[in-house]
Amino acid sequence: MWNGELLDLDAYLARVGFRVDPEADPATTLRGLHRAHLAAIPFENADIGAGVPIALDVPSLQDKMVRRRRGGYCYEQNLLFAAVLDRLGHEVTGLAARVVLGREGDVPRTHALLRVDRKWLVDVGFGGGGLLTPMPLAQGAFEQQGDWTFRLDRDDDGWRLQSLQGGTWVPLYDFTEDPTTPADFAVLNHYMSTSPKSPFVGRLLVQRTDERTRRAITGDVLTVATPDGGPEKRTLSPEELVTALRDDFGLELPTATG
């Protein structure tokens, strides 16, 4: 389903700077690869703003994020990662989540994420400050990942991933384990990359999170946040924007406008 056979695995591993140890425990490899992917490939939506169609087939994803060293948003990131894990022999199931981020009410399922080997929540494509490494898919799972803390809870409606921010648990997204296929993601991707109602249309969004800091660009505003401190924001000039994209996110975008 995830077309791992179409992936140039060696090129991908070189892009993220990770070496697969055949003697390592699969969970250790999964964790290391997840973190390496996030460190190397930032979240970004510049093609959407430029009106470039977002292709989700493996050759296109690899050309963009591996060969051209670009980033991508959730569908691109997690479908590329699904192909990598499929190629490495993991069992991958696509899932769709409702992005909450403190909102309540009727929120649609628009975020792509993965269940791996039936026991891991895997997500390399959440632009709102998500996991650095896979999370055990278990009620009450609690993890410190760098300076960031996450909790996973379950009730009759499904799962909720939360992040500890400033001493408060902030809901990130809700999801169930109902499988979502690449065809389902293609429909969601079309809407989220073209609809005027999509949060990804009409403004530049870029993010990268490391062990201690989350850096994000929204339009021409750079935000730097930590788990304990309030975010610091600064408006960038066009020249500063190009520099920040290159130096903070490793991106040389065709257009770097907000």
Side-chain angles (χ1 to χ4, degrees), residues 12-257:
Y12 170 83
L13 293 174
R15 169 75 167 102
V16 302
F18 186 81
R19 184 180 68 85
V20 175
D21 180 355
E23 303 299 323
D25 176 82
T28 300
T29 298
L30 179 62
R31 285 179 175 274
L33 192 59
H34 194 287
R35 189 162 294 203
H37 181 109
L38 284 173
I41 306 179
F43 180 98
E44 56 107 336
N45 73 331
D47 279 353
I48 294 175
V52 177
I54 304 300
L56 298 183
D57 61 282
V58 171
S60 295
L61 295 173
Q62 178 153 296
D63 176 68
K64 179 179 180 178
M65 289 182 280
V66 176
R67 187 183 68 82
R68 292 190 283 128
R69 306 184 71 82
R70 288 282 305 280
Y73 78 147
C74 69
Y75 305 109
E76 297 171 289
Q77 298 265 12
N78 279 319
L79 266 68
L80 176 64
F81 204 59
V84 172
L85 298 180
D86 178 59
R87 178 69 176 272
L88 291 174
H90 293 275
E91 180 183 346
V92 180
T93 302
L95 305 177
R98 304 181 191 275
V99 178
V100 182
L101 287 176
R103 299 176 296 174
E104 299 295 339
D106 187 15
V107 180
R109 290 189 178 94
T110 57
H111 175 58
L113 60 153
L114 306 172
R115 185 187 70 188
V116 175
D117 298 333
R118 302 193 180 189
K119 59 183 179 181
W120 296 103
L121 170 62
V122 168
D123 187 356
V124 295
F126 188 60
L131 301 171
L132 294 181
T133 59
M135 189 86 168
L137 195 59
Q139 165 60 29
F142 179 96
E143 280 207 354
Q144 184 87 25
Q145 300 182 358
D147 287 349
W148 310 94
T149 306
F150 299 94
R151 188 175 77 195
L152 191 59
D153 294 312
R154 186 176 189 177
D155 60 21
D156 292 341
D157 295 324
W159 297 92
R160 168 165 285 191
L161 180 67
Q162 301 185 77
S163 172
L164 187 62
Q165 301 177 19
T168 301
W169 286 106
V170 176
L172 300 182
Y173 51 72
D174 298 338
F175 64 98
T176 69
E177 293 185 65
D178 296 331
T180 304
T181 70
D184 297 324
F185 286 137
V187 173
L188 294 171
N189 170 60
H190 176 74
Y191 175 81
M192 294 302 287
S193 64
T194 62
S195 172
K197 295 182 179 180
S198 168
F200 301 110
V201 173
R203 60 178 180 169
L204 178 66
L205 298 171
V206 185
Q207 182 187 284
R208 171 171 276 166
T209 302
D210 61 26
E211 303 281 333
R212 297 175 177 81
T213 306
R214 179 177 305 123
R215 290 178 171 81
I217 289 176
T218 304
D220 60 356
V221 176
L222 173 66
T223 302
V224 180
T226 63
D228 298 323
E232 299 178 0
K233 297 187 177 184
R234 182 166 66 93
T235 300
L236 304 175
S237 69
E239 294 78 14
E240 289 173 326
L241 177 59
V242 171
T243 299
L245 289 169
R246 182 188 65 238
D247 295 348
D248 294 340
F249 301 94
L251 290 172
E252 300 278 356
L253 298 180
T255 58
T257 60

